[in-house]
Coordinates of all heavy atoms in Angstrom, one line a residue:
M246 N 46.2 -15.6 -48.9 CA 45.7 -15.9 -47.6 C 44.3 -16.3 -47.6 O 43.4 -15.7 -48.1 CB 45.9 -14.6 -46.7 CG 46.5 -15.0 -45.4 SD 46.3 -13.7 -44.2 CE 48.0 -13.7 -43.5
F247 N 44.1 -17.4 -46.9 CA 42.7 -17.9 -46.8 C 42.2 -17.8 -45.4 O 42.9 -18.1 -44.4 CB 42.7 -19.4 -47.2 CG 43.0 -19.6 -48.7 CD1 44.3 -20.0 -49.1 CD2 42.0 -19.4 -49.6 CE1 44.6 -20.2 -50.4 CE2 42.3 -19.6 -50.9 CZ 43.6 -20.0 -51.3
K248 N 41.0 -17.4 -45.4 CA 40.4 -17.2 -44.1 C 39.2 -18.2 -44.0 O 38.5 -18.3 -44.9 CB 39.9 -15.8 -43.9 CG 40.9 -14.9 -43.2 CD 40.3 -13.6 -42.9 CE 41.4 -12.7 -42.2 NZ 40.8 -11.3 -42.0
L249 N 39.2 -18.8 -42.9 CA 38.0 -19.7 -42.7 C 36.9 -18.9 -42.0 O 37.1 -18.4 -40.9 CB 38.4 -20.9 -41.8 CG 39.0 -22.1 -42.6 CD1 39.4 -23.1 -41.6 CD2 38.1 -22.6 -43.6
F250 N 35.9 -18.9 -42.7 CA 34.7 -18.2 -42.0 C 33.8 -19.3 -41.3 O 33.4 -20.2 -42.0 CB 33.9 -17.5 -43.1 CG 34.6 -16.2 -43.5 CD1 35.4 -16.2 -44.7 CD2 34.4 -15.1 -42.8 CE1 36.0 -15.0 -45.1 CE2 35.0 -13.9 -43.2 CZ 35.8 -13.9 -44.3
K251 N 33.7 -19.0 -40.1 CA 32.7 -19.9 -39.4 C 31.4 -19.3 -39.5 O 31.2 -18.2 -39.0 CB 33.2 -20.1 -38.0 CG 34.1 -21.3 -37.8 CD 34.2 -21.6 -36.3 CE 35.2 -22.8 -36.2 NZ 35.4 -23.0 -34.8
K252 N 30.5 -20.0 -40.1 CA 29.2 -19.4 -40.2 C 28.4 -19.6 -39.0 O 28.2 -20.8 -38.6 CB 28.5 -20.0 -41.5 CG 28.3 -19.0 -42.6 CD 27.4 -19.5 -43.7 CE 27.3 -18.6 -44.8 NZ 26.4 -19.1 -45.9
K253 N 28.0 -18.6 -38.4 CA 27.1 -18.8 -37.2 C 25.7 -18.8 -37.7 O 25.2 -17.9 -38.4 CB 27.3 -17.6 -36.3 CG 28.3 -17.9 -35.2 CD 28.3 -16.8 -34.2 CE 29.4 -17.1 -33.1 NZ 29.5 -16.0 -32.2
E254 N 25.1 -19.8 -37.3 CA 23.6 -19.9 -37.7 C 22.8 -19.0 -36.7 O 22.8 -19.2 -35.5 CB 23.1 -21.4 -37.6 CG 23.5 -22.1 -38.8 CD 22.8 -23.5 -38.9 OE1 21.7 -23.6 -38.3 OE2 23.4 -24.4 -39.4
T255 N 22.2 -18.1 -37.4 CA 21.4 -17.2 -36.5 C 20.0 -17.9 -36.3 O 19.4 -18.5 -37.3 CB 21.1 -15.9 -37.2 OG1 20.8 -16.1 -38.6 CG2 22.4 -15.0 -37.2
E256 N 19.6 -17.8 -35.2 CA 18.3 -18.5 -34.9 C 17.2 -17.6 -35.4 O 17.0 -16.5 -35.2 CB 18.1 -18.6 -33.4 CG 19.0 -19.8 -32.8 CD 18.8 -20.0 -31.3 OE1 17.6 -19.9 -30.9 OE2 19.8 -20.1 -30.6
A257 N 16.4 -18.3 -36.2 CA 15.3 -17.6 -36.8 C 14.1 -17.5 -35.9 O 13.1 -16.8 -36.2 CB 14.9 -18.3 -38.1
E258 N 14.2 -18.3 -34.8 CA 13.0 -18.3 -33.9 C 12.9 -17.0 -33.2 O 13.8 -16.5 -32.6 CB 13.2 -19.4 -32.9 CG 11.9 -19.8 -32.3 CD 12.1 -21.0 -31.4 OE1 13.0 -21.8 -31.7 OE2 11.4 -21.1 -30.4
E259 N 11.7 -16.4 -33.2 CA 11.5 -15.2 -32.6 C 11.1 -15.4 -31.1 O 10.3 -16.3 -30.9 CB 10.4 -14.4 -33.3 CG 10.9 -13.7 -34.5 CD 9.8 -12.9 -35.2 OE1 9.0 -12.4 -34.6 OE2 9.8 -12.9 -36.5
P260 N 11.6 -14.6 -30.3 CA 11.1 -14.8 -28.9 C 9.6 -14.4 -28.8 O 9.2 -13.4 -29.2 CB 12.0 -13.8 -28.1 CG 12.5 -12.8 -29.1 CD 12.5 -13.6 -30.4
K261 N 8.9 -15.4 -28.2 CA 7.5 -15.1 -28.1 C 7.2 -14.2 -26.9 O 7.7 -14.5 -25.8 CB 6.7 -16.4 -28.0 CG 6.5 -17.1 -29.3 CD 5.7 -18.3 -29.2 CE 5.7 -19.1 -30.5 NZ 5.0 -20.4 -30.4
A262 N 6.4 -13.2 -27.1 CA 6.0 -12.3 -26.1 C 5.2 -13.1 -25.1 O 4.2 -13.8 -25.5 CB 5.3 -11.1 -26.6
A263 N 5.5 -13.1 -23.9 CA 4.8 -13.8 -22.9 C 3.4 -13.2 -22.6 O 3.3 -12.2 -22.0 CB 5.6 -13.9 -21.6
A264 N 2.4 -13.9 -23.1 CA 1.0 -13.5 -22.9 C 0.8 -12.0 -22.8 O 0.5 -11.5 -21.8 CB 0.5 -14.2 -21.6
E265 N 1.0 -11.5 -23.9 CA 0.9 -10.0 -24.0 C -0.5 -9.6 -23.8 O -1.4 -10.1 -24.4 CB 1.5 -9.5 -25.3 CG 1.9 -8.0 -25.2 CD 2.6 -7.6 -26.5 OE1 3.4 -8.4 -27.0 OE2 2.4 -6.5 -26.9
E266 N -0.7 -8.6 -22.9 CA -2.1 -8.2 -22.6 C -2.5 -7.2 -23.6 O -1.8 -6.1 -23.8 CB -2.2 -7.7 -21.2 CG -2.4 -8.8 -20.2 CD -2.6 -8.2 -18.8 OE1 -3.4 -7.3 -18.7 OE2 -1.9 -8.7 -17.9
R267 N -3.6 -7.4 -24.2 CA -4.1 -6.4 -25.2 C -5.0 -5.4 -24.4 O -5.6 -5.8 -23.4 CB -5.0 -7.1 -26.3 CG -4.1 -7.8 -27.3 CD -5.0 -8.3 -28.4 NE -6.0 -9.3 -27.9 CZ -7.0 -9.7 -28.6 NH1 -7.1 -9.3 -29.8 NH2 -7.8 -10.6 -28.1
P268 N -4.9 -4.2 -24.8 CA -5.7 -3.2 -24.1 C -7.2 -3.6 -24.3 O -7.6 -3.9 -25.4 CB -5.4 -1.9 -24.8 CG -4.7 -2.3 -26.1 CD -4.1 -3.6 -25.9
V269 N -7.9 -3.5 -23.3 CA -9.3 -3.9 -23.3 C -10.1 -2.7 -23.9 O -10.0 -1.6 -23.4 CB -9.9 -4.2 -21.9 CG1 -11.3 -4.7 -22.0 CG2 -9.0 -5.3 -21.3
E270 N -10.8 -3.1 -25.0 CA -11.6 -2.0 -25.6 C -12.8 -1.8 -24.7 O -13.5 -2.7 -24.3 CB -12.0 -2.4 -27.0 CG -11.0 -2.1 -28.0 CD -11.5 -2.3 -29.4 OE1 -12.7 -2.0 -29.7 OE2 -10.8 -2.9 -30.2
E271 N -13.1 -0.5 -24.6 CA -14.2 -0.1 -23.8 C -15.5 -0.5 -24.5 O -15.7 -0.2 -25.6 CB -14.2 1.3 -23.5 CG -14.9 1.7 -22.2 CD -14.3 2.9 -21.5 OE1 -13.1 3.0 -21.4 OE2 -15.1 3.7 -21.0
E272 N -16.4 -1.2 -23.8 CA -17.6 -1.6 -24.4 C -18.5 -0.4 -24.5 O -18.6 0.5 -23.6 CB -18.3 -2.7 -23.5 CG -17.5 -4.0 -23.6 CD -18.0 -4.9 -22.5 OE1 -19.3 -4.9 -22.2 OE2 -17.2 -5.7 -22.0
H273 N -19.3 -0.4 -25.5 CA -20.2 0.7 -25.7 C -21.5 0.4 -24.9 O -22.1 -0.6 -25.1 CB -20.6 0.9 -27.1 CG -21.5 2.1 -27.3 ND1 -22.9 1.9 -27.6 CD2 -21.3 3.4 -27.3 CE1 -23.4 3.1 -27.7 NE2 -22.5 4.0 -27.5
D274 N -21.7 1.2 -23.9 CA -22.9 1.0 -23.0 C -24.0 1.9 -23.4 O -23.8 3.2 -23.2 CB -22.4 1.1 -21.6 CG -23.4 0.5 -20.6 OD1 -24.6 0.4 -21.0 OD2 -23.0 0.1 -19.5
P275 N -25.1 1.4 -23.8 CA -26.2 2.3 -24.1 C -26.8 3.1 -22.9 O -27.3 4.1 -23.0 CB -27.3 1.4 -24.7 CG -26.9 0.0 -24.2 CD -25.5 0.0 -24.0
F276 N -26.5 2.4 -21.7 CA -26.9 3.1 -20.5 C -25.7 3.4 -19.7 O -25.2 2.5 -18.9 CB -27.9 2.2 -19.7 CG -29.1 1.9 -20.5 CD1 -29.3 0.6 -21.1 CD2 -30.2 2.8 -20.6 CE1 -30.4 0.3 -21.8 CE2 -31.3 2.5 -21.3 CZ -31.4 1.2 -21.9
P277 N -25.2 4.6 -19.8 CA -24.0 4.9 -19.1 C -24.2 4.7 -17.6 O -25.1 5.3 -17.0 CB -23.7 6.4 -19.4 CG -24.6 6.7 -20.6 CD -25.7 5.7 -20.6
K278 N -23.3 3.9 -17.0 CA -23.4 3.7 -15.6 C -22.8 4.9 -14.8 O -22.2 5.8 -15.4 CB -22.6 2.4 -15.2 CG -23.3 1.2 -15.7 CD -22.4 0.0 -15.5 CE -22.9 -1.2 -16.3 NZ -21.8 -2.2 -16.5
A279 N -23.0 4.8 -13.6 CA -22.3 5.8 -12.7 C -20.8 5.6 -12.8 O -20.3 4.7 -13.4 CB -22.8 5.6 -11.3
K280 N -20.1 6.6 -12.3 CA -18.7 6.5 -12.4 C -18.2 5.2 -11.8 O -18.8 4.7 -10.9 CB -18.1 7.7 -11.6 CG -18.3 9.0 -12.3 CD -17.7 10.1 -11.4 CE -17.9 11.5 -12.1 NZ -17.5 12.6 -11.2
P281 N -17.0 4.7 -12.3 CA -16.5 3.5 -11.7 C -16.2 3.7 -10.2 O -15.8 4.8 -9.8 CB -15.2 3.3 -12.5 CG -14.9 4.6 -13.2 CD -16.2 5.2 -13.4
A282 N -16.4 2.7 -9.5 CA -16.3 2.8 -8.0 C -14.9 3.0 -7.5 O -13.9 2.6 -8.2 CB -16.9 1.5 -7.4
K283 N -14.9 3.7 -6.4 CA -13.6 3.8 -5.7 C -13.4 2.6 -4.8 O -14.3 2.0 -4.4 CB -13.5 5.1 -4.9 CG -13.6 6.3 -5.7 CD -13.6 7.6 -4.8 CE -13.7 8.8 -5.7 NZ -13.8 10.0 -4.9
W284 N -12.1 2.3 -4.6 CA -11.8 1.1 -3.7 C -10.9 1.6 -2.6 O -10.0 2.4 -2.8 CB -11.2 0.0 -4.5 CG -12.1 -0.7 -5.4 CD1 -12.7 -0.2 -6.5 CD2 -12.5 -2.1 -5.3 NE1 -13.5 -1.1 -7.1 CE2 -13.4 -2.3 -6.4 CE3 -12.2 -3.1 -4.5 CZ2 -14.0 -3.5 -6.6 CZ3 -12.8 -4.4 -4.7 CH2 -13.7 -4.6 -5.8
K285 N -11.2 1.0 -1.4 CA -10.5 1.5 -0.2 C -9.6 0.3 0.3 O -10.1 -0.8 0.4 CB -11.4 1.9 0.9 CG -10.8 2.5 2.1 CD -11.8 2.9 3.1 CE -11.1 3.5 4.3 NZ -12.1 3.9 5.3
C286 N -8.4 0.7 0.6 CA -7.5 -0.3 1.2 C -7.9 -0.5 2.7 O -7.9 0.5 3.4 CB -6.0 0.2 1.1 SG -4.9 -0.9 2.0
M287 N -8.2 -1.7 3.1 CA -8.7 -2.0 4.4 C -7.5 -1.9 5.4 O -7.8 -2.0 6.6 CB -9.4 -3.3 4.5 CG -10.6 -3.4 3.6 SD -11.7 -1.9 3.6 CE -12.5 -2.2 5.2
T288 N -6.4 -1.9 4.9 CA -5.2 -1.9 5.8 C -4.8 -0.5 6.2 O -4.5 -0.3 7.4 CB -4.0 -2.7 5.2 OG1 -4.5 -4.0 4.8 CG2 -2.9 -2.9 6.2
C289 N -4.7 0.3 5.2 CA -4.2 1.6 5.5 C -5.1 2.8 5.2 O -4.9 3.9 5.6 CB -2.9 1.9 4.8 SG -3.1 2.2 3.0
G290 N -6.2 2.4 4.6 CA -7.2 3.5 4.3 C -7.0 4.2 3.0 O -7.8 5.1 2.7
Y291 N -6.0 3.8 2.3 CA -5.8 4.4 1.0 C -7.0 4.2 0.1 O -7.6 3.1 0.0 CB -4.5 3.8 0.3 CG -4.3 4.1 -1.1 CD1 -3.7 5.3 -1.6 CD2 -4.8 3.2 -2.1 CE1 -3.6 5.6 -2.9 CE2 -4.6 3.5 -3.5 CZ -4.0 4.7 -3.8 OH -3.8 4.9 -5.2
I292 N -7.4 5.2 -0.7 CA -8.5 5.1 -1.6 C -8.0 5.2 -3.0 O -7.4 6.1 -3.4 CB -9.6 6.2 -1.3 CG1 -10.2 5.9 0.1 CG2 -10.6 6.1 -2.3 CD1 -11.3 6.8 0.5
Y293 N -8.4 4.1 -3.7 CA -8.0 4.1 -5.2 C -9.2 4.8 -5.9 O -10.3 4.3 -5.9 CB -7.8 2.7 -5.7 CG -7.6 2.7 -7.2 CD1 -6.4 3.0 -7.7 CD2 -8.7 2.4 -8.1 CE1 -6.2 3.1 -9.1 CE2 -8.5 2.5 -9.4 CZ -7.2 2.8 -9.9 OH -7.0 2.9 -11.3
D294 N -8.8 5.9 -6.6 CA -9.8 6.6 -7.4 C -9.5 6.3 -8.8 O -8.5 6.7 -9.4 CB -9.7 8.1 -7.1 CG -10.7 8.9 -7.7 OD1 -11.4 8.4 -8.7 OD2 -11.0 10.1 -7.3
P295 N -10.5 5.7 -9.5 CA -10.2 5.3 -10.9 C -9.9 6.5 -11.8 O -9.3 6.4 -12.8 CB -11.5 4.6 -11.3 CG -12.2 4.2 -10.0 CD -11.7 5.2 -9.0
E296 N -10.5 7.7 -11.4 CA -10.3 8.9 -12.2 C -8.8 9.3 -12.1 O -8.3 10.0 -13.0 CB -11.2 10.0 -11.8 CG -12.6 9.7 -12.2 CD -13.5 10.9 -11.8 OE1 -13.2 12.1 -12.1 OE2 -14.5 10.7 -11.1
V297 N -8.2 9.0 -11.0 CA -6.8 9.4 -10.8 C -5.8 8.3 -11.2 O -4.8 8.6 -11.8 CB -6.6 9.8 -9.3 CG1 -5.2 10.2 -9.1 CG2 -7.5 10.9 -8.9
G298 N -6.3 7.1 -11.0 CA -5.4 6.0 -11.2 C -4.3 5.9 -10.2 O -4.4 6.5 -9.1
D299 N -3.2 5.3 -10.6 CA -2.0 5.2 -9.7 C -0.8 5.4 -10.6 O -0.1 4.4 -10.9 CB -2.0 3.9 -9.0 CG -0.8 3.8 -8.0 OD1 -0.2 4.9 -7.8 OD2 -0.4 2.7 -7.6
P300 N -0.6 6.6 -11.1 CA 0.5 6.8 -12.1 C 1.9 6.3 -11.7 O 2.7 5.9 -12.5 CB 0.5 8.3 -12.3 CG -0.9 8.8 -11.9 CD -1.3 7.8 -10.8
D301 N 2.1 6.4 -10.3 CA 3.4 6.0 -9.8 C 3.6 4.5 -10.1 O 4.8 4.0 -10.1 CB 3.5 6.3 -8.3 CG 3.6 7.8 -8.1 OD1 4.0 8.5 -9.0 OD2 3.3 8.2 -7.0
S302 N 2.5 3.7 -10.2 CA 2.6 2.3 -10.4 C 2.3 1.9 -11.8 O 2.1 0.8 -12.1 CB 1.7 1.5 -9.4 OG 2.0 1.8 -8.1
G303 N 2.2 2.9 -12.6 CA 1.9 2.7 -14.0 C 0.4 2.4 -14.3 O 0.1 1.9 -15.4
I304 N -0.5 2.8 -13.4 CA -1.9 2.7 -13.6 C -2.4 4.0 -14.1 O -2.4 5.0 -13.4 CB -2.6 2.3 -12.4 CG1 -2.0 1.0 -11.7 CG2 -4.1 2.1 -12.7 CD1 -2.0 -0.2 -12.6
A305 N -2.8 4.0 -15.4 CA -3.2 5.3 -16.0 C -4.6 5.8 -15.4 O -5.4 5.0 -15.0 CB -3.4 5.1 -17.5
P306 N -4.7 7.1 -15.4 CA -6.0 7.6 -14.9 C -7.1 7.1 -15.8 O -7.0 6.9 -17.0 CB -5.8 9.1 -15.1 CG -4.4 9.4 -15.1 CD -3.7 8.1 -15.6
G307 N -8.2 6.7 -15.2 CA -9.4 6.2 -15.9 C -9.4 4.7 -15.9 O -10.3 4.0 -16.4
T308 N -8.4 4.1 -15.2 CA -8.4 2.6 -15.1 C -9.3 2.2 -13.9 O -9.1 2.6 -12.8 CB -6.9 2.1 -14.8 OG1 -6.1 2.6 -15.8 CG2 -6.9 0.6 -14.8
R309 N -10.2 1.3 -14.3 CA -11.1 0.8 -13.2 C -10.3 -0.2 -12.3 O -9.4 -0.8 -12.8 CB -12.3 0.0 -13.8 CG -13.3 0.9 -14.5 CD -14.4 0.1 -15.0 NE -14.0 -1.0 -15.8 CZ -14.7 -2.0 -16.2 NH1 -16.0 -2.1 -15.8 NH2 -14.2 -3.0 -17.0
F310 N -10.7 -0.3 -11.1 CA -10.0 -1.1 -10.1 C -9.9 -2.6 -10.7 O -8.9 -3.3 -10.6 CB -10.6 -1.1 -8.8 CG -9.8 -1.8 -7.7 CD1 -8.8 -1.2 -7.1 CD2 -10.2 -3.1 -7.3 CE1 -8.0 -1.8 -6.1 CE2 -9.4 -3.8 -6.3 CZ -8.4 -3.1 -5.7
E311 N -11.0 -3.0 -11.3 CA -11.2 -4.3 -11.8 C -10.1 -4.6 -12.9 O -9.8 -5.7 -13.2 CB -12.6 -4.6 -12.4 CG -13.7 -4.6 -11.3 CD -14.3 -3.2 -11.0 OE1 -13.6 -2.2 -11.2 OE2 -15.4 -3.2 -10.5
D312 N -9.7 -3.5 -13.6 CA -8.8 -3.7 -14.7 C -7.3 -3.6 -14.3 O -6.4 -3.7 -15.1 CB -9.1 -2.6 -15.8 CG -10.5 -2.8 -16.4 OD1 -11.0 -4.0 -16.3 OD2 -11.1 -1.8 -16.8
I313 N -7.1 -3.3 -13.0 CA -5.7 -3.2 -12.6 C -5.1 -4.6 -12.6 O -5.8 -5.6 -12.2 CB -5.6 -2.6 -11.2 CG1 -6.2 -1.2 -11.2 CG2 -4.2 -2.6 -10.6 CD1 -6.2 -0.5 -9.8
P314 N -3.9 -4.8 -13.0 CA -3.3 -6.1 -12.9 C -3.3 -6.7 -11.5 O -3.2 -5.9 -10.6 CB -1.8 -5.8 -13.4 CG -1.9 -4.6 -14.1 CD -3.0 -3.8 -13.6
D315 N -3.4 -8.0 -11.4 CA -3.5 -8.6 -10.1 C -2.3 -8.5 -9.2 O -2.3 -8.6 -8.0 CB -3.9 -10.1 -10.2 CG -5.3 -10.3 -10.7 OD1 -6.1 -9.4 -10.4 OD2 -5.6 -11.3 -11.3
D316 N -1.2 -8.2 -9.9 CA 0.0 -8.0 -9.1 C 0.2 -6.6 -8.5 O 1.2 -6.3 -7.9 CB 1.3 -8.5 -9.9 CG 1.4 -7.7 -11.2 OD1 0.6 -6.9 -11.4 OD2 2.4 -8.0 -11.9
W317 N -0.8 -5.8 -8.8 CA -0.7 -4.4 -8.3 C -0.8 -4.5 -6.8 O -1.6 -5.3 -6.2 CB -1.8 -3.6 -8.9 CG -1.9 -2.2 -8.4 CD1 -1.1 -1.1 -8.9 CD2 -2.7 -1.6 -7.4 NE1 -1.5 0.0 -8.2 CE2 -2.5 -0.3 -7.3 CE3 -3.7 -2.2 -6.6 CZ2 -3.1 0.6 -6.4 CZ3 -4.4 -1.4 -5.7 CH2 -4.1 0.0 -5.6
V318 N -0.1 -3.6 -6.1 CA -0.2 -3.5 -4.7 C -0.5 -2.1 -4.2 O -0.3 -1.1 -5.0 CB 1.0 -4.0 -3.9 CG1 1.3 -5.5 -4.2 CG2 2.2 -3.2 -4.4
C319 N -1.1 -2.0 -3.1 CA -1.4 -0.7 -2.5 C -0.1 0.2 -2.5 O 0.9 -0.3 -1.9 CB -1.9 -0.9 -1.1 SG -2.2 0.7 -0.2
P320 N -0.1 1.3 -3.1 CA 1.1 2.2 -3.1 C 1.5 2.6 -1.7 O 2.7 3.1 -1.6 CB 0.6 3.4 -4.0 CG -0.8 3.4 -3.9 CD -1.3 2.0 -3.7
T321 N 0.7 2.5 -0.8 CA 1.0 3.0 0.6 C 1.6 1.9 1.5 O 2.6 2.0 2.1 CB -0.2 3.7 1.2 OG1 -0.7 4.7 0.4 CG2 0.2 4.3 2.5
C322 N 0.8 0.8 1.5 CA 1.2 -0.3 2.5 C 1.5 -1.6 1.8 O 1.8 -2.6 2.5 CB 0.1 -0.5 3.5 SG -1.4 -1.2 2.9
K323 N 1.5 -1.6 0.5 CA 1.9 -2.8 -0.3 C 1.1 -4.1 -0.2 O 1.6 -5.2 -0.4 CB 3.4 -3.1 -0.1 CG 4.3 -1.9 -0.1 CD 4.4 -1.3 -1.4 CE 5.3 -0.1 -1.4 NZ 5.2 0.8 -2.6
V324 N -0.1 -3.9 0.3 CA -1.0 -5.1 0.3 C -1.6 -5.3 -1.1 O -1.7 -4.4 -1.9 CB -2.1 -5.1 1.4 CG1 -1.5 -5.0 2.7 CG2 -3.0 -3.9 1.1
G325 N -2.0 -6.6 -1.3 CA -2.6 -6.9 -2.6 C -4.0 -6.4 -2.8 O -4.6 -5.8 -1.9
K326 N -4.5 -6.6 -4.0 CA -5.9 -6.2 -4.3 C -6.9 -6.8 -3.4 O -8.0 -6.2 -3.3 CB -6.2 -6.5 -5.8 CG -5.5 -5.6 -6.8 CD -5.8 -6.0 -8.2 CE -7.2 -5.6 -8.6 NZ -7.5 -6.0 -10.0
D327 N -6.7 -8.0 -2.9 CA -7.7 -8.6 -2.0 C -8.0 -7.8 -0.8 O -9.0 -8.0 -0.1 CB -7.3 -10.0 -1.6 CG -6.3 -10.7 -2.5 OD1 -6.1 -10.2 -3.6 OD2 -5.7 -11.7 -2.1
S328 N -7.0 -6.9 -0.4 CA -7.3 -6.2 0.8 C -8.1 -4.9 0.6 O -8.2 -4.1 1.5 CB -5.9 -5.8 1.4 OG -5.2 -7.0 1.8
F329 N -8.5 -4.8 -0.7 CA -9.3 -3.6 -1.0 C -10.8 -3.9 -1.0 O -11.2 -5.0 -1.3 CB -8.9 -3.0 -2.4 CG -7.7 -2.2 -2.3 CD1 -6.5 -2.7 -2.2 CD2 -7.8 -0.8 -2.4 CE1 -5.3 -2.0 -2.1 CE2 -6.7 0.0 -2.4 CZ -5.4 -0.6 -2.3
K330 N -11.6 -2.9 -0.6 CA -13.0 -3.1 -0.5 C -13.7 -2.0 -1.4 O -13.3 -0.9 -1.3 CB -13.5 -3.0 0.9 CG -14.9 -3.6 1.1 CD -15.3 -3.4 2.5 CE -16.8 -3.9 2.7 NZ -17.4 -3.5 3.9
K331 N -14.6 -2.5 -2.1 CA -15.3 -1.5 -3.0 C -16.2 -0.5 -2.2 O -16.8 -0.9 -1.2 CB -16.3 -2.3 -3.9 CG -16.8 -1.5 -5.1 CD -17.6 -2.5 -6.0 CE -17.9 -1.8 -7.3 NZ -18.6 -2.7 -8.2
L332 N -16.1 0.7 -2.6 CA -16.9 1.7 -1.9 C -18.1 1.9 -2.7 O -18.1 2.3 -3.8 CB -16.1 3.0 -1.8 CG -14.9 3.0 -0.8 CD1 -14.3 4.4 -0.8 CD2 -15.2 2.6 0.6
D333 N -19.2 1.7 -2.0 CA -20.5 2.0 -2.7 C -21.0 3.3 -2.3 O -20.8 3.8 -1.2 CB -21.5 0.9 -2.2 CG -21.2 -0.5 -2.8 OD1 -20.8 -0.5 -4.0 OD2 -21.3 -1.4 -2.0
F334 N -21.6 3.9 -3.3 CA -22.1 5.3 -3.0 C -23.6 5.3 -2.7 O -24.4 4.5 -3.2 CB -21.9 6.2 -4.2 CG -20.4 6.5 -4.4 CD1 -19.7 5.7 -5.3 CD2 -19.8 7.5 -3.8 CE1 -18.4 6.0 -5.5 CE2 -18.5 7.8 -4.0 CZ -17.8 7.0 -4.8
Ligands
ZN507 ZN1 -2.9 0.1 1.9

């Protein structure tokens, strides 16, 4: 009995990861600045605290507001980052 084997050509091409973001290495600052600023949502008053982050949205504690992905939205009212205002101390 003869069997015909159909050879399937496997694609050697690897799927390219779409612009994978590398973790930003923290720069060494000889003059430690004050704590990263908190940001307030101007729509609902939610305050983003970098020390807390937004674990529900995958933002780890210690993430500066500036380092949050641009598609992040307010966990309370879902507005974008543009609706946040930096809180100065
Ligand atoms: Zn909000």
Side-chain angles (χ1 to χ4, degrees):
M246 223 194 224
F247 294 99
K248 269 186 180 176
L249 275 179
F250 284 95
K251 269 191 182 176
K252 252 190 181 178
K253 266 189 183 176
E254 278 189 31
T255 48
E256 286 181 43
E258 201 175 328
E259 283 179 32
K261 279 181 186 174
E265 204 171 322
E266 277 183 47
R267 284 184 301 170
V269 182
E270 274 187 45
E271 205 150 319
E272 292 167 34
H273 183 256
D274 198 335
F276 301 101
K278 289 171 198 161
K280 287 178 184 176
K283 294 179 183 178
W284 288 66
K285 184 180 183 183
C286 175
M287 301 314 286
T288 306
C289 71
Y291 166 85
I292 293 187
Y293 175 79
D294 187 342
E296 286 183 52
V297 179
D299 181 16
D301 290 341
S302 302
I304 309 296
T308 305
R309 289 182 306 168
F310 188 81
E311 291 90 333
D312 294 335
I313 298 177
D315 286 335
D316 57 359
W317 179 82
V318 293
C319 174
T321 307
C322 68
K323 313 294 178 197
V324 295
K326 285 177 73 178
D327 334 346
S328 299
F329 278 74
K330 197 183 175 193
K331 194 174 189 174
L332 292 181
D333 291 315
F334 290 93

